[in-house]
PDB file of all heavy atoms in Angstrom:
ATOM      1  N   ALA A 157      -7.298  19.902   5.442  1.00 95.00           N
ATOM      2  CA  ALA A 157      -7.835  20.882   6.382  1.00 95.00           C
ATOM      3  C   ALA A 157      -9.304  20.579   6.674  1.00 95.00           C
ATOM      4  O   ALA A 157      -9.940  19.755   6.014  1.00 95.00           O
ATOM      5  CB  ALA A 157      -7.691  22.291   5.808  1.00 95.00           C
ATOM      6  N   TYR A 158      -9.863  21.282   7.658  1.00 95.00           N
ATOM      7  CA  TYR A 158     -11.293  21.192   7.909  1.00 95.00           C
ATOM      8  C   TYR A 158     -12.059  21.735   6.697  1.00 95.00           C
ATOM      9  O   TYR A 158     -11.519  22.442   5.861  1.00 95.00           O
ATOM     10  CB  TYR A 158     -11.670  21.999   9.151  1.00 95.00           C
ATOM     11  CG  TYR A 158     -11.170  21.433  10.452  1.00 95.00           C
ATOM     12  CD1 TYR A 158     -10.467  22.220  11.362  1.00 95.00           C
ATOM     13  CD2 TYR A 158     -11.404  20.106  10.789  1.00 95.00           C
ATOM     14  CE1 TYR A 158     -10.016  21.701  12.567  1.00 95.00           C
ATOM     15  CE2 TYR A 158     -10.952  19.574  11.989  1.00 95.00           C
ATOM     16  CZ  TYR A 158     -10.259  20.375  12.872  1.00 95.00           C
ATOM     17  OH  TYR A 158      -9.798  19.858  14.059  1.00 95.00           O
ATOM     18  N   GLY A 159     -13.334  21.413   6.619  1.00 95.00           N
ATOM     19  CA  GLY A 159     -14.167  21.953   5.559  1.00 95.00           C
ATOM     20  C   GLY A 159     -14.030  21.188   4.263  1.00 95.00           C
ATOM     21  O   GLY A 159     -14.057  19.952   4.231  1.00 95.00           O
ATOM     22  N   VAL A 160     -13.862  21.914   3.167  1.00 94.00           N
ATOM     23  CA  VAL A 160     -13.863  21.335   1.832  1.00 94.00           C
ATOM     24  C   VAL A 160     -12.755  20.301   1.655  1.00 94.00           C
ATOM     25  O   VAL A 160     -12.976  19.224   1.096  1.00 94.00           O
ATOM     26  CB  VAL A 160     -13.747  22.454   0.774  1.00 94.00           C
ATOM     27  CG1 VAL A 160     -13.400  21.875  -0.602  1.00 94.00           C
ATOM     28  CG2 VAL A 160     -15.052  23.234   0.680  1.00 94.00           C
ATOM     29  N   ASP A 161     -11.541  20.605   2.150  1.00 95.00           N
ATOM     30  CA  ASP A 161     -10.414  19.680   1.950  1.00 95.00           C
ATOM     31  C   ASP A 161     -10.718  18.305   2.535  1.00 95.00           C
ATOM     32  O   ASP A 161     -10.593  17.268   1.869  1.00 95.00           O
ATOM     33  CB  ASP A 161      -9.150  20.234   2.610  1.00 95.00           C
ATOM     34  CG  ASP A 161      -8.583  21.453   1.922  1.00 95.00           C
ATOM     35  OD1 ASP A 161      -9.361  22.164   1.254  1.00 95.00           O
ATOM     36  OD2 ASP A 161      -7.382  21.702   2.061  1.00 95.00           O
ATOM     37  N   GLY A 162     -11.101  18.285   3.812  1.00 96.00           N
ATOM     38  CA  GLY A 162     -11.382  17.015   4.464  1.00 96.00           C
ATOM     39  C   GLY A 162     -12.519  16.264   3.799  1.00 96.00           C
ATOM     40  O   GLY A 162     -12.472  15.037   3.652  1.00 96.00           O
ATOM     41  N   ALA A 163     -13.563  17.004   3.369  1.00 96.00           N
ATOM     42  CA  ALA A 163     -14.699  16.367   2.706  1.00 96.00           C
ATOM     43  C   ALA A 163     -14.276  15.720   1.391  1.00 96.00           C
ATOM     44  O   ALA A 163     -14.721  14.619   1.048  1.00 96.00           O
ATOM     45  CB  ALA A 163     -15.810  17.388   2.472  1.00 96.00           C
ATOM     46  N   ALA A 164     -13.421  16.386   0.628  1.00 96.00           N
ATOM     47  CA  ALA A 164     -12.944  15.821  -0.642  1.00 96.00           C
ATOM     48  C   ALA A 164     -12.148  14.544  -0.405  1.00 96.00           C
ATOM     49  O   ALA A 164     -12.308  13.547  -1.118  1.00 96.00           O
ATOM     50  CB  ALA A 164     -12.105  16.847  -1.387  1.00 96.00           C
ATOM     51  N   HIS A 165     -11.275  14.553   0.611  1.00 97.00           N
ATOM     52  CA  HIS A 165     -10.530  13.340   0.951  1.00 97.00           C
ATOM     53  C   HIS A 165     -11.485  12.205   1.331  1.00 97.00           C
ATOM     54  O   HIS A 165     -11.335  11.064   0.876  1.00 97.00           O
ATOM     55  CB  HIS A 165      -9.584  13.599   2.131  1.00 97.00           C
ATOM     56  CG  HIS A 165      -8.387  14.417   1.814  1.00 97.00           C
ATOM     57  ND1 HIS A 165      -7.490  14.104   0.817  1.00 97.00           N
ATOM     58  CD2 HIS A 165      -7.909  15.550   2.408  1.00 97.00           C
ATOM     59  CE1 HIS A 165      -6.516  15.000   0.798  1.00 97.00           C
ATOM     60  NE2 HIS A 165      -6.748  15.895   1.749  1.00 97.00           N
ATOM     61  N   ARG A 166     -12.470  12.515   2.175  1.00 97.00           N
ATOM     62  CA  ARG A 166     -13.405  11.475   2.637  1.00 97.00           C
ATOM     63  C   ARG A 166     -14.206  10.906   1.475  1.00 97.00           C
ATOM     64  O   ARG A 166     -14.475   9.701   1.422  1.00 97.00           O
ATOM     65  CB  ARG A 166     -14.332  12.046   3.700  1.00 97.00           C
ATOM     66  CG  ARG A 166     -13.649  12.323   5.028  1.00 97.00           C
ATOM     67  CD  ARG A 166     -14.661  12.664   6.111  1.00 97.00           C
ATOM     68  NE  ARG A 166     -13.991  12.949   7.375  1.00 97.00           N
ATOM     69  CZ  ARG A 166     -13.659  14.171   7.781  1.00 97.00           C
ATOM     70  NH1 ARG A 166     -13.947  15.217   7.014  1.00 97.00           N
ATOM     71  NH2 ARG A 166     -13.042  14.346   8.933  1.00 97.00           N
ATOM     72  N   GLY A 167     -14.591  11.765   0.543  1.00 97.00           N
ATOM     73  CA  GLY A 167     -15.325  11.278  -0.617  1.00 97.00           C
ATOM     74  C   GLY A 167     -14.506  10.305  -1.431  1.00 97.00           C
ATOM     75  O   GLY A 167     -14.997   9.249  -1.846  1.00 97.00           O
ATOM     76  N   ALA A 168     -13.222  10.635  -1.648  1.00 98.00           N
ATOM     77  CA  ALA A 168     -12.349   9.742  -2.413  1.00 98.00           C
ATOM     78  C   ALA A 168     -12.148   8.422  -1.679  1.00 98.00           C
ATOM     79  O   ALA A 168     -12.179   7.348  -2.287  1.00 98.00           O
ATOM     80  CB  ALA A 168     -11.009  10.425  -2.670  1.00 98.00           C
ATOM     81  N   LEU A 169     -11.941   8.488  -0.370  1.00 98.00           N
ATOM     82  CA  LEU A 169     -11.752   7.266   0.409  1.00 98.00           C
ATOM     83  C   LEU A 169     -13.003   6.397   0.406  1.00 98.00           C
ATOM     84  O   LEU A 169     -12.918   5.167   0.315  1.00 98.00           O
ATOM     85  CB  LEU A 169     -11.368   7.619   1.847  1.00 98.00           C
ATOM     86  CG  LEU A 169      -9.989   8.264   2.054  1.00 98.00           C
ATOM     87  CD1 LEU A 169      -9.865   8.810   3.469  1.00 98.00           C
ATOM     88  CD2 LEU A 169      -8.866   7.272   1.769  1.00 98.00           C
ATOM     89  N   ALA A 170     -14.179   7.032   0.522  1.00 97.00           N
ATOM     90  CA  ALA A 170     -15.431   6.277   0.528  1.00 97.00           C
ATOM     91  C   ALA A 170     -15.651   5.543  -0.779  1.00 97.00           C
ATOM     92  O   ALA A 170     -16.296   4.491  -0.811  1.00 97.00           O
ATOM     93  CB  ALA A 170     -16.601   7.213   0.810  1.00 97.00           C
ATOM     94  N   ALA A 171     -15.108   6.084  -1.876  1.00 97.00           N
ATOM     95  CA  ALA A 171     -15.226   5.446  -3.180  1.00 97.00           C
ATOM     96  C   ALA A 171     -14.095   4.463  -3.438  1.00 97.00           C
ATOM     97  O   ALA A 171     -13.926   3.985  -4.572  1.00 97.00           O
ATOM     98  CB  ALA A 171     -15.248   6.507  -4.277  1.00 97.00           C
ATOM     99  N   ASP A 172     -13.310   4.159  -2.389  1.00 97.00           N
ATOM    100  CA  ASP A 172     -12.134   3.291  -2.520  1.00 97.00           C
ATOM    101  C   ASP A 172     -11.162   3.824  -3.564  1.00 97.00           C
ATOM    102  O   ASP A 172     -10.516   3.063  -4.290  1.00 97.00           O
ATOM    103  CB  ASP A 172     -12.548   1.852  -2.867  1.00 97.00           C
ATOM    104  CG  ASP A 172     -13.247   1.159  -1.714  1.00 97.00           C
ATOM    105  OD1 ASP A 172     -12.861   1.419  -0.554  1.00 97.00           O
ATOM    106  OD2 ASP A 172     -14.183   0.382  -1.967  1.00 97.00           O
ATOM    107  N   GLY A 173     -11.069   5.153  -3.627  1.00 97.00           N
ATOM    108  CA  GLY A 173     -10.208   5.779  -4.616  1.00 97.00           C
ATOM    109  C   GLY A 173      -8.899   6.256  -4.026  1.00 97.00           C
ATOM    110  O   GLY A 173      -8.573   6.012  -2.860  1.00 97.00           O
ATOM    111  N   ALA A 174      -8.139   6.967  -4.837  1.00 97.00           N
ATOM    112  CA  ALA A 174      -6.807   7.447  -4.471  1.00 97.00           C
ATOM    113  C   ALA A 174      -6.889   8.904  -4.042  1.00 97.00           C
ATOM    114  O   ALA A 174      -7.530   9.722  -4.702  1.00 97.00           O
ATOM    115  CB  ALA A 174      -5.863   7.301  -5.666  1.00 97.00           C
ATOM    116  N   THR A 175      -6.214   9.222  -2.945  1.00 97.00           N
ATOM    117  CA  THR A 175      -6.176  10.610  -2.492  1.00 97.00           C
ATOM    118  C   THR A 175      -4.831  10.921  -1.865  1.00 97.00           C
ATOM    119  O   THR A 175      -4.184  10.045  -1.285  1.00 97.00           O
ATOM    120  CB  THR A 175      -7.332  10.901  -1.510  1.00 97.00           C
ATOM    121  OG1 THR A 175      -7.397  12.306  -1.262  1.00 97.00           O
ATOM    122  CG2 THR A 175      -7.172  10.149  -0.197  1.00 97.00           C
ATOM    123  N   VAL A 176      -4.409  12.161  -1.996  1.00 97.00           N
ATOM    124  CA  VAL A 176      -3.113  12.623  -1.495  1.00 97.00           C
ATOM    125  C   VAL A 176      -3.342  13.837  -0.611  1.00 97.00           C
ATOM    126  O   VAL A 176      -4.021  14.790  -1.019  1.00 97.00           O
ATOM    127  CB  VAL A 176      -2.163  13.009  -2.644  1.00 97.00           C
ATOM    128  CG1 VAL A 176      -0.847  13.569  -2.101  1.00 97.00           C
ATOM    129  CG2 VAL A 176      -1.899  11.826  -3.556  1.00 97.00           C
ATOM    130  N   ALA A 177      -2.782  13.828   0.589  1.00 97.00           N
ATOM    131  CA  ALA A 177      -2.818  14.977   1.488  1.00 97.00           C
ATOM    132  C   ALA A 177      -1.455  15.643   1.498  1.00 97.00           C
ATOM    133  O   ALA A 177      -0.450  15.003   1.817  1.00 97.00           O
ATOM    134  CB  ALA A 177      -3.202  14.544   2.901  1.00 97.00           C
ATOM    135  N   MET A 178      -1.416  16.914   1.118  1.00 97.00           N
ATOM    136  CA  MET A 178      -0.180  17.693   1.172  1.00 97.00           C
ATOM    137  C   MET A 178      -0.227  18.556   2.434  1.00 97.00           C
ATOM    138  O   MET A 178      -1.084  19.433   2.564  1.00 97.00           O
ATOM    139  CB  MET A 178      -0.067  18.578  -0.075  1.00 97.00           C
ATOM    140  CG  MET A 178       1.204  19.409  -0.129  1.00 97.00           C
ATOM    141  SD  MET A 178       2.680  18.392  -0.344  1.00 97.00           S
ATOM    142  CE  MET A 178       3.926  19.430   0.442  1.00 97.00           C
ATOM    143  N   LEU A 179       0.674  18.298   3.385  1.00 97.00           N
ATOM    144  CA  LEU A 179       0.627  18.940   4.690  1.00 97.00           C
ATOM    145  C   LEU A 179       1.588  20.120   4.788  1.00 97.00           C
ATOM    146  O   LEU A 179       2.594  20.198   4.065  1.00 97.00           O
ATOM    147  CB  LEU A 179       0.969  17.926   5.782  1.00 97.00           C
ATOM    148  CG  LEU A 179       0.123  16.654   5.843  1.00 97.00           C
ATOM    149  CD1 LEU A 179       0.514  15.829   7.063  1.00 97.00           C
ATOM    150  CD2 LEU A 179      -1.370  16.978   5.864  1.00 97.00           C
ATOM    151  N   ALA A 180       1.280  21.021   5.730  1.00 96.00           N
ATOM    152  CA  ALA A 180       2.159  22.145   6.048  1.00 96.00           C
ATOM    153  C   ALA A 180       2.970  21.841   7.301  1.00 96.00           C
ATOM    154  O   ALA A 180       3.465  22.750   7.969  1.00 96.00           O
ATOM    155  CB  ALA A 180       1.343  23.409   6.238  1.00 96.00           C
ATOM    156  N   CYS A 181       3.106  20.564   7.641  1.00 97.00           N
ATOM    157  CA  CYS A 181       3.857  20.110   8.818  1.00 97.00           C
ATOM    158  C   CYS A 181       4.531  18.797   8.436  1.00 97.00           C
ATOM    159  O   CYS A 181       4.518  18.403   7.262  1.00 97.00           O
ATOM    160  CB  CYS A 181       2.918  19.923  10.002  1.00 97.00           C
ATOM    161  SG  CYS A 181       1.482  18.877   9.679  1.00 97.00           S
ATOM    162  N   GLY A 182       5.119  18.111   9.399  1.00 97.00           N
ATOM    163  CA  GLY A 182       5.729  16.823   9.113  1.00 97.00           C
ATOM    164  C   GLY A 182       4.683  15.752   8.853  1.00 97.00           C
ATOM    165  O   GLY A 182       3.535  15.856   9.314  1.00 97.00           O
ATOM    166  N   VAL A 183       5.054  14.704   8.122  1.00 98.00           N
ATOM    167  CA  VAL A 183       4.093  13.645   7.786  1.00 98.00           C
ATOM    168  C   VAL A 183       3.672  12.849   9.010  1.00 98.00           C
ATOM    169  O   VAL A 183       2.699  12.087   8.963  1.00 98.00           O
ATOM    170  CB  VAL A 183       4.668  12.681   6.712  1.00 98.00           C
ATOM    171  CG1 VAL A 183       4.877  13.394   5.394  1.00 98.00           C
ATOM    172  CG2 VAL A 183       5.958  12.017   7.203  1.00 98.00           C
TER     173      VAL A 183
END
Side-chain angles (χ1 to χ4, degrees):
Y158 291 129
V160 166
D161 290 25
H165 287 305
R166 289 190 181 94
L169 292 169
D172 291 324
T175 189
V176 177
M178 181 68 207
L179 304 185
C181 53
V183 295

